[in-house]
Amino acid sequence: MKKTICLITAALIVFSATVKTQNHLTKINGSEPKPESMAFLPGSERVKPFFLGFHDTFAHYLWIRTVLYFGAQHQTDRDYAWLIQKLDIITRLHPHFFPAYEFAGLLVPEVCNNPDAARVIMERGMIHLSQERWQIPFYLGMLYFRYYDDPDRAAEYFTIATQVPGAPSEKLGTLAASFYQRSGRKETGVALLYFLYETADSPEVKRHIEERLVTLLEE
Amino acid sequence: MKVLSIVASNTFKETIRNKVLYNILLVAGVVLLLSISFGDLSVFSRIQVMTDFGLATMSLTGLLLAVFIGVGMLGVEISTKTVYGVITRPVGRASFILGKFTGLFLTLLLNFLLIAAVFMIAIQTMGGSINAGIVSAVFLILVEMAVIVSAAIFFSTFTTPTLAAIFTLAFYAAGHLNNLVSLSAQQSMGAFHSFVLRMVHYILPNLDHFNIRTMVVYGMPVPEGHIFFTFLYGVFYTALLLILSVWLFGRKDL
């Protein structure tokens, strides 16, 4: 009995020492900038075999780390040096992981000031997800319009987006039409709107497309 | 003390003869040498990649050694009843556990020094240099392995060798994910939920403290006091697990 009490007391003392030390370590580490532990992963498909079939799992883990990294940088110096590399690795390891593409399409051009990197990642998304997620061609279209001043390419991507099941086709179609008009391809825009008009079911949508068509033809 | 050293030296002799040890060492050697070619896969310099992969290999090798030898030594002795031959003699159960730990740790230390030597020779051969950062990283991996060995012994005191190995691997994984638990505790809305997560955070080891690989690879300064306090943390946590092991083994009805 006495021995048990001694052991439990010793365990409690040592446990409180571990808690104290852990808190102190957290404190001294929190004040220091930490490098990114994933930074040295080769940005290549050749890295996949090293994960022994767990590359999806690792991609998910890395995604969590990326979100945490983004949050931490957002609250400190807003230097997102590793964001592109992380998203690149995630989308290589798990090419169907949509949130990473969304992050790349919406944030990378803005916060990293690097539309080229975003475009490369989004074009990977086009290969793997363009038939499932209308947002991928849509973001890519926006990228071409905003950062490359290329309304023609933007309109082409919006047109691709209209054909994805579940996409808000009429809105994307009218957007694409107006972009075709900007780039001097008014007839393509008109043809697209006609197509959308023919395939639309809802009378409200038909009416909306009709109005847009009239406006386009009058301009 | 004399009993402890006898148990430790016997454990050391026994583990040194273990074939698993040499297989793991062989794999570690091959991976270390392969890490030279990993440099070609990265846009960064070969030395940095080699250092990164080399330290990671050492960490994983240490884990495998700690699990397979740690669990095998005590677990198998209990399950095959050979432990009776020792504890029927004037050997206290505490001395037996501490002796086992010392013997296993010495084996691990010897192997680790061997792997570290190969690693450092490889770095030097490729034109790199061995600095204090690399030595500190290796030292902290060794301290981490002391925690893992004590965890393997702790799990071996109350379960089968197979389960103890699984628990030890899970313990390692959980220890490296502990920061996420801490983060969840901070972000948790409910007070009770947050309290439970905080407790989990303190009960599980935070093995991420032992990982300074990235800082070493980047040549970034390690926070002042980090190595000393991490060493202290490792010592405390190892002591805690050994105390619990002694207590559990003392109560075990053999």
Side-chain angles (χ1 to χ4, degrees), chain A residues 125-134 136-137 160-161 163-165:
Chain A
M126 281 298 293
I127 295 166
H128 297 283
L129 278 174
S130 62
Q131 297 308 307
E132 296 161 48
R133 300 277 189 168
W134 62 266
I136 301 273
I160 293 168
Q163 291 150 16
V164 179

Side-chain angles (χ1 to χ4, degrees), chain A residues 62-119:
Chain A
L62 189 51
W63 170 246
I64 294 166
R65 293 289 303 264
T66 304
V67 173
L68 294 176
Y69 167 76
F70 183 80
Q73 297 307 106
H74 189 72
Q75 287 172 345
T76 52
D77 57 1
R78 303 207 173 189
D79 174 17
Y80 303 96
W82 294 111
L83 186 64
I84 295 166
Q85 173 129 8
K86 280 165 170 284
L87 292 170
D88 182 47
I89 294 166
I90 292 166
T91 53
R92 280 176 192 276
L93 293 175
H94 194 343
H96 293 86
F97 192 64
F98 174 68
Y101 293 115
E102 203 165 29
F103 226 65
L106 293 173
L107 291 167
V108 167
E110 201 73 51
V111 301
C112 301
N113 196 22
N114 194 340
D116 292 341
R119 186 171 52 83

Side-chain angles (χ1 to χ4, degrees), chain A residues 25-26 28-39 65 69 72-73 76-77 79 82 86, chain B residues 179 206-215 218 220-223 226 230:
Chain A
L25 278 167
T26 307
I28 61 174
N29 282 314
S31 59
E32 293 288 328
K34 274 202 160 184
E36 274 310 304
S37 54
M38 305 296 169
R65 293 289 303 264
Y69 167 76
Q73 297 307 106
T76 52
D77 57 1
D79 174 17
W82 294 111
K86 280 165 170 284
Chain B
N179 281 338
N206 191 338
L207 297 179
D208 244 18
H209 289 315
F210 297 97
N211 179 9
I212 57 165
R213 284 200 303 270
T214 326
M215 291 184 222
Y218 278 83
M220 284 184 76
V222 177
H226 177 91
T230 303

Side-chain angles (χ1 to χ4, degrees), chain A residues 12-32:
Chain A
L12 287 172
I13 291 166
V14 175
F15 178 65
S16 54
T18 63
V19 171
K20 277 239 180 289
T21 321
Q22 163 131 247
N23 283 339
H24 185 75
L25 278 167
T26 307
K27 205 163 81 180
I28 61 174
N29 282 314
S31 59
E32 293 288 328

Side-chain angles (χ1 to χ4, degrees), chain A residues 3-4 7-8 10-12 14-15 17-19 21-26 28-29 31-44 46-47 50 61 64-65 68 82 85, chain B residues 38 40-42 44 48-49 52-53 177-178 180 183 199 201-204 206 209 214-215 217-218 220-221 223-226 229-230 232-233 236-237 239-240 243-244 246-247 251:
Chain A
K3 196 177 171 185
T4 304
L7 283 171
I8 291 170
L12 287 172
V14 175
F15 178 65
T18 63
V19 171
T21 321
Q22 163 131 247
N23 283 339
H24 185 75
L25 278 167
T26 307
I28 61 174
N29 282 314
S31 59
E32 293 288 328
K34 274 202 160 184
E36 274 310 304
S37 54
M38 305 296 169
F40 277 93
L41 268 175
S44 155
R46 286 179 292 174
V47 80
F50 291 111
Y61 169 70
I64 294 166
R65 293 289 303 264
L68 294 176
W82 294 111
Q85 173 129 8
Chain B
F38 290 161
D40 301 332
L41 290 172
S42 175
F44 293 90
Q48 284 175 314
V49 175
D52 196 26
F53 273 95
L177 296 171
N178 199 340
L180 294 179
L183 196 83
M199 284 309 294
H201 170 66
Y202 286 124
I203 290 167
L204 286 174
N206 191 338
H209 289 315
T214 326
M215 291 184 222
V217 169
Y218 278 83
M220 284 184 76
E224 204 180 332
H226 177 91
F229 282 102
T230 303
L232 215 57
Y233 178 65
F236 286 143
Y237 208 95
L240 176 67
I243 289 166
L244 293 173
V246 166
W247 182 58
R251 290 164 54 91

